[in-house]
């Protein structure tokens, strides 16, 4: 009933789809019929649920469109009391909507199969129904391909029908794990779409190229299962470039990577960190530690900031899952240590030390991610003028200050990890890193003060930056290798010295202008509202950072609200009230009784 109500609401728009799809000819039997199969499929999927992975909604749309098509073509399957099956034959193929009818049948079966695939993760028995619906989709695709072999159908539609048939066949073989047959079907589909893409303009070829990109990981996965070991590396690169695949291959590729690492994890029994060897008994932690080097290498090789950010998030998510698995084993271990009267004081257990190691990886990865974001913001600050011309929001030093605050908080958490409190080498290394990030944080705080022309505060902060940088250089003797990954302190010192000299010159210029009352100089440091009568060539007036007024306005003294005291009250003589008080005294209990019995005085 809900589906019918939805169909009623959207009937006015969706009935337009049933008139004549793209690529049709309405003249008669002698004209060739055409159907933009891939375009219709993609548009329908994107507009009716698949943008959010809602296959049930798309299946309902296909059912409603089928009902409307049958009604429009007067091709009903009996009545409400009796079902009478009908098949679309070549003899009645006078309208391309008959082809669309079969296409929607195939799409409905395919969408139901994908819905069951999502539900099969928790209910494995639904996999049998999934395979049944995929076979039904392939059967409808075969019927569509057979009808398109007619002379009434144009060549492009024939090729698209063949590619659609090969695609669904490949998906069915893929689910049956018939890798060779699946790869042959996918290769056939890929070849047809590549030829179609080359035969049309770039705008028309976009859909075909997108389909080819979707099929490529499936082909490499099939090749790997057949025995091509080089395909595994290509699949890993596809996964890392895209930050995770989508569609039919996603779960299988993740399962393959997990399975491959699980085989390697069977031989991994311990991990060494900071001179201590810890046994690793949890499979999820083993798999994470084995893939850590590959993930870090992929982050280094990332082409752009967006991909790097996505990979950072993926690595942090995996790390959090591993920490959660260790935390579950850590609870009984803590209870056991609490009840134990023996044990070494000050030495943490192996599981606690493993938890500290994973937390160290998580915090270090978060620091690297924030540092990468800070570098991109610094580049944007250098190109600020061009960003203003493009009409984009310009970054500010305050954005960088927030990132460095988060980094410093992560470093504080690193120093508090259990098992590392007495590791003086580790504590000193973290202390040096803290000084480096404090120096950069002070530098950008000073930059924010420069923007509001607070010269003295900015100069003090620049001196603090030089102090932090000097402490880093003096104490970095044995930690030179660990500090290589951090921002260069020497570059910061050079930049601060240059900024400090220009800042001193600006402060002196401002002081001279105010002392000698030079209107041209004063105008450069005043908002526009205070220098209407002074001509000045100020380029900031045509920028987005024009200074019009002081905002927020400064505080100004104002007179207080007056307080009024009623002093005349002490000199007022009130009239006597003795007569009224006496009259009131007479009206007591006696007057009350008289009033009850009706006596009046």
């Amino acid at each position: 009933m809900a589906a019918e109500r939805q169909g009623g609401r959207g009937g006015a728009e969706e009935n337009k789809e049933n008139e004549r799809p793209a690529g049709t000819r309405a003249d008669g039997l002698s004209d060739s019929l055409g159907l933009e199969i891939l375009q219709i499929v993609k548009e329908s999927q994107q507009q009716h649920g698949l943008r959010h992975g809602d296959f049930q909604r798309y299946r309902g749309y296909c059912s409603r469109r089928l009902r409307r098509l049958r009604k429009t073509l007067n091709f009903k399957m009996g009545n409400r009391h009796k079902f009478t099956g009908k098949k679309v034959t070549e003899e009645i193929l006078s309208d391309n909507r008959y082809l669309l009818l079969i296409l929607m049948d195939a799409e409905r079966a395919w969408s139901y199969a994908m819905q069951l695939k999502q539900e099969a993760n928790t209910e494995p028995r639904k996999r049998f129904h999934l395979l049944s619906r995929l076979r039904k989709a392939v059967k409808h695709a075969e019927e569509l391909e057979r009808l398109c072999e007619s002379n009434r159908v144009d060549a492009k539609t024939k090729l698209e029908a063949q590619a659609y048939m090969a695609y669904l066949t490949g998906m069915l073989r893929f689910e049956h794990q018939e890798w060779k047959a699946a790869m042959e079907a996918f290769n056939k589909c890929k070849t047809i779409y590549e030829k179609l893409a080359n035969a049309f303009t770039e705008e028309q070829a976009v859909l075909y190229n997108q389909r080819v990109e979707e099929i490529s990981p499936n082909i490499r996965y099939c090749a790997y299962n057949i025995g091509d070991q080089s395909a595994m590396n290509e699949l890993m690169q596809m996964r890392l470039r895209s930050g995770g695949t989508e569609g039919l291959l996603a779960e299988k590729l993740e399962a393959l990577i997990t399975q491959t690492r699980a085989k390697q994890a069977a031989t991994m029994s311990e991990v060494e960190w900071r001179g201590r060897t810890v046994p690793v008994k949890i499979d999820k932690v083993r798999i994470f530690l084995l893939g850590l080097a590959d993930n870090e290498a992929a982050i280094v090789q990332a082409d752009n900031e967006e991909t790097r950010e996505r990979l950072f998030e993926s690595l942090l998510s995996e790390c959090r899952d591993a920490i959660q698995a260790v935390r579950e084993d850590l609870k009984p271990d803590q209870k056991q240590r609490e009840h134990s009267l023996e044990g070494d004081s000050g030495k943490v257990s192996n599981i606690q030390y493993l938890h500290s190691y994973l937390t160290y990886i998580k915090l270090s990865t978060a620091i690297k991610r924030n540092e990468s974001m800070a570098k991109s913001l610094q580049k944007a600050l250098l190109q600020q003028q061009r960003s203003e011309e493009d009409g984009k929001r310009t970054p500010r030093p305050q954005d960088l200050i927030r990132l460095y605050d988060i980094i410093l908080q992560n470093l504080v958490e690193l120093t508090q990890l259990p098992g590392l409190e007495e590791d003086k080498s580790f504590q000193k290394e973290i202390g040096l890193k803290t000084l480096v990030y404090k120096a950069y944080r002070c530098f950008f705080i000073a930059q924010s003060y420069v923007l509001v022309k607070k010269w003295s505060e900015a100069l003090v902060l620049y001196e603090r930056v030089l102090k932090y940088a000097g402490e880093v250089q003096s104490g970095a003797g044995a930690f030179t290798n660990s500090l290589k990954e951090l921002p260069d302190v020497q570059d910061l010192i050079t930049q601060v010295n240059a900024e400090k000299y220009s800042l001193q010159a600006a402060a002196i210029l401002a002081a001279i202008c105010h002392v000698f009352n030079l209107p041209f100089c004063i105008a450069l440091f005043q908002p526009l509202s205070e220098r209407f009568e002074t001509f000045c060539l100020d380029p900031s007036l045509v920028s987005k950072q024009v200074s019009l007024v002081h905002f927020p306005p400064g505080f100004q003294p104002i007179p207080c609200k007056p307080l009024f005291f009623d002093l005349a009250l002490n000199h007022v003589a009130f009239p006597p009230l003795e007569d009224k008080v006496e009259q009131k005294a007479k009206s007591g209990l006696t007057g009350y009784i008289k009033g009850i019995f009706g006596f009046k005085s």
Side-chain angles (χ1 to χ4, degrees), residues 229-495:
Q229 296 297 326
S230 63
M232 182 60 187
N233 295 329
E234 295 185 18
L235 285 171
M236 288 289 294
Q237 292 299 321
M238 289 179 184
R239 171 181 174 269
L240 293 172
R241 281 197 301 268
S242 63
T245 53
E246 298 178 355
L248 178 68
L249 186 65
E251 297 177 4
K252 289 189 173 293
L253 182 55
E254 292 296 332
L256 172 64
I257 295 171
T258 304
Q259 182 181 5
T260 305
R261 289 176 179 170
K263 292 179 181 178
Q264 299 173 356
T267 61
M268 179 185 179
S269 59
E270 57 187 21
V271 63
E272 183 178 356
W273 181 54
R274 303 200 68 83
R276 179 173 174 178
T277 302
V278 180
V280 182
K281 300 178 182 179
I282 305 173
D283 293 336
K284 185 176 288 187
V285 179
R286 290 178 180 176
I287 293 170
F288 167 72
L289 293 176
L290 284 171
L292 180 61
D294 294 337
N295 291 331
E296 290 179 345
I299 290 172
V300 174
Q301 298 171 3
D303 299 332
N304 51 49
E305 294 296 331
E306 184 179 355
T307 303
R308 188 178 293 109
E309 178 68 19
R310 189 164 56 242
L311 293 175
F312 269 124
E313 290 297 333
S314 176
L315 178 57
L316 286 172
S317 176
E318 293 178 9
C319 187
R320 283 190 287 267
D321 293 341
I323 290 174
Q324 182 61 33
V326 173
R327 191 175 291 129
E328 292 174 358
D329 285 1
L330 187 60
K331 292 178 181 178
D333 181 74
Q334 286 178 342
K335 293 180 180 178
Q336 184 178 359
R337 287 178 62 85
E338 289 175 0
H339 290 88
S340 176
L341 299 177
E342 299 178 356
D344 299 331
S345 59
K347 185 177 180 181
V348 299
S349 63
N350 288 332
I351 190 70
Q352 178 67 63
Y353 198 76
L354 180 61
H355 183 269
S356 298
Y357 176 48
L358 294 174
T359 306
Y360 170 80
I361 294 174
K362 184 189 77 169
L363 293 174
S364 300
T365 304
I367 290 172
K368 291 177 182 177
R369 181 194 62 181
N370 290 326
E371 186 181 339
S372 174
M373 295 171 63
K375 287 181 179 178
S376 62
L377 280 175
Q378 290 180 34
K379 292 179 182 178
L381 278 174
L382 295 176
Q383 301 173 352
Q384 191 168 6
Q385 187 64 33
R386 188 175 66 183
S387 298
E388 289 178 6
E389 294 174 358
D390 293 341
K392 299 179 182 178
R393 178 188 177 274
T394 58
R396 302 174 299 169
Q398 288 84 344
D399 301 333
L400 285 159
I401 295 170
R402 174 60 182 160
L403 288 175
Y404 283 114
D405 281 335
I406 298 173
I407 291 174
L408 290 172
Q409 180 61 35
N410 291 334
L411 289 172
V412 171
E413 294 179 18
L414 283 175
T415 60
Q416 300 172 354
L417 290 177
L420 299 175
E421 299 92 341
E422 299 181 359
D423 191 341
K424 295 182 179 179
S425 175
F426 177 78
Q427 296 292 337
K428 188 174 182 181
E429 179 183 346
I430 298 300
L432 288 174
K433 291 181 178 180
T434 303
L435 289 175
V436 172
Y437 290 115
K438 277 186 175 180
Y440 273 89
R441 179 175 173 272
C442 278
F443 174 77
F444 288 107
I445 293 175
Q447 290 281 315
S448 64
Y449 277 114
V450 170
L451 292 178
V452 294
K453 298 180 176 60
K454 294 187 176 181
W455 318 115
S456 58
E457 291 87 345
L459 282 171
V460 171
L461 288 169
Y462 280 146
E463 292 296 336
R464 181 66 62 87
V465 172
L466 294 177
K467 176 188 173 184
Y468 286 145
E471 292 178 5
V472 172
Q473 288 182 334
S474 62
F479 303 97
T480 306
N481 293 330
S482 61
L483 296 178
K484 284 182 178 179
E485 300 177 357
L486 302 181
D488 193 358
V489 178
Q490 187 59 44
D491 292 344
L492 182 62
I493 293 174
T494 305
Q495 189 175 0

Side-chain angles (χ1 to χ4, degrees), residues 584-597:
K584 189 175 181 181
K586 291 179 180 179
S587 60
L589 180 61
T590 307
Y592 177 73
I593 294 173
K594 289 181 178 180
I596 292 176
F597 291 99

